[in-house]
Amino acid sequence: MSHDSPAATALDATAVTRLQQWVGRTETLDDLVCAAPLRGLAATLDRDDAPPIAGAPVPPLWHWLFFLPQARQGEIGPDGHPRRGGFLPPVPLPRRMWAGGRLRWEGANHLRVGQMVQRVSTIRSVSHKSGRSGDLVFVLVEHRFGNEAGLALTEEHDIVYRAAARPGDPAPPPQKPPLAGQAAWSRAIMPDPVLLFRYSALTFNGHRIHYDRSYVTQEEGYPGLVVHGPLLATLLMDLLRRELPQARVASLEFRAVRPTFDLHPFTVHGKPSDDGRTVALWAQDHEGWLTMHASVELVP
């Protein structure tokens, strides 16, 4: 059976052990930080920024516009992702999600327009558990980004693979944001298909859950197009930039807790700590349920 089949079978201990053989694998890529994708993301986020020039720093999380996967068309699986295997382990579960991450920037050594940057990626862990809705596989990938001045950014990326949705599967209980009603900043976002398409194009993301309504509803069982986890995180950080444009970010931790769909507007919120050293950020769906939360540490 294809590893990308929605009907992939449950994982046994032997299969999990095989997947764990990917731990320690590395991949090294080089890329040029050019201005065009940055201009495109600024337009997509409805920002009126000056065009980026050589030497301009890359805003937090906008490095996701680079080092994009560029699998040949014949290597694309039914979900629009590259077929399983290669650097990432070939997890035989059909639903793949960016669940969260942790990032730390290195002082004044920013990634900047015009730089050649190297990314060294390492599979740090592969773990498995069985939940109420079936098998779950968690893959932790570390990325280290460096330029001529040395290490600039370290990122840990959490990927979750899940079994196909089944009728009657229990839905995770929704959560209210811990700081609900206490936001200092808020902004409403309408996640229409054009926004999702533009972000998919900028990140060369062929995952069909973001633009193919018949696929996402009929094959993966979601009610609508899914808003990208990285786009949600980027919108949270964009709120911070709008409210504190001079702030410098030292670290970020974020986690997606509930899918966001294109069927309704959602909101992003922020609240700085009393000492101004950290900022809590979160997103809520149209019913007020928490969809993503993040914690930012600022440079003093």
Side-chain angles (χ1 to χ4, degrees):
M1 179 178 294
S2 167
H3 284 155
D4 292 289
S5 168
T9 56
L11 290 168
D12 58 19
T14 300
V16 173
T17 299
R18 177 173 173 266
L19 294 175
Q20 290 173 335
Q21 294 175 359
W22 262 253
V23 173
R25 291 198 181 196
T26 63
E27 176 185 71
T28 300
L29 299 173
D30 297 285
D31 204 355
L32 174 66
V33 178
C34 50
L38 302 177
R39 292 196 302 268
L41 184 55
T44 299
L45 299 180
D46 207 18
R47 298 184 59 89
D48 188 21
D49 294 341
I53 60 173
V58 176
L61 301 188
W62 291 31
H63 70 286
W64 288 337
L65 299 174
F66 306 99
F67 299 96
L68 304 179
Q70 294 177 336
R72 293 170 54 187
Q73 190 68 15
E75 298 170 349
I76 299 298
D79 63 356
H81 271 310
R83 292 188 183 276
R84 312 298 166 90
F87 172 63
L88 289 173
V91 179
L93 297 173
R95 293 199 287 175
R96 184 180 347 192
M97 293 167 290
W98 186 316
R102 293 152 300 283
L103 302 96
R104 177 163 291 277
W105 286 263
E106 297 293 329
N109 185 23
H110 299 287
L111 301 178
R112 296 181 180 275
V113 175
Q115 290 181 340
M116 284 298 301
V117 176
Q118 183 172 89
R119 185 186 76 180
V120 179
S121 304
T122 305
I123 307 292
R124 289 300 182 193
S125 67
V126 178
S127 59
H128 166 261
K129 75 174 185 178
S130 294
R132 292 179 299 171
S133 58
D135 284 303
L136 298 167
V137 173
F138 302 88
V139 178
L140 171 60
V141 183
E142 178 192 73
H143 303 293
R144 294 170 65 85
F145 299 83
N147 53 24
E148 288 185 352
L151 181 66
L153 168 64
T154 302
E155 175 179 4
E156 291 184 334
H157 171 194
D158 300 322
I159 309 171
V160 178
Y161 297 83
R162 300 182 61 187
R166 298 170 298 187
D169 277 348
Q175 306 174 40
K176 283 290 186 181
L179 296 176
Q182 302 179 47
W185 322 317
S186 297
R187 183 171 179 237
I189 308 292
M190 182 62 225
D192 59 53
V194 175
L195 173 65
L196 303 190
F197 168 79
R198 294 180 92 183
Y199 190 78
S200 287
L202 283 166
T203 54
F204 206 59
N205 183 349
H207 199 183
R208 293 169 66 184
I209 65 172
H210 305 304
Y211 61 85
D212 187 335
R213 195 172 303 276
S214 61
Y215 172 84
V216 74
T217 56
Q218 297 172 23
E219 298 295 329
E220 299 219 12
Y222 291 115
L225 299 178
V226 179
V227 179
H228 316 63
L231 176 56
L232 276 177
T234 299
L235 286 164
L236 290 178
M237 292 302 289
D238 181 62
L239 178 67
L240 172 64
R241 289 185 67 210
R242 290 171 186 268
E243 299 293 339
L244 297 176
Q246 303 305 315
R248 292 183 298 149
V249 175
S251 69
L252 165 68
E253 180 171 355
F254 70 96
R255 178 150 301 276
V257 297
R258 185 179 176 87
T260 300
F261 304 104
D262 73 326
L263 305 175
H264 306 279
F266 66 91
T267 51
V268 291
H269 307 270
K271 184 179 189 298
S273 61
D274 291 340
D275 61 11
R277 295 182 179 179
T278 62
V279 178
L281 299 168
W282 68 96
Q284 298 175 219
D285 65 17
H286 66 291
E287 296 181 301
W289 300 122
L290 180 69
T291 58
M292 178 175 284
H293 60 84
S295 177
V296 178
E297 176 188 359
L298 301 178
V299 176

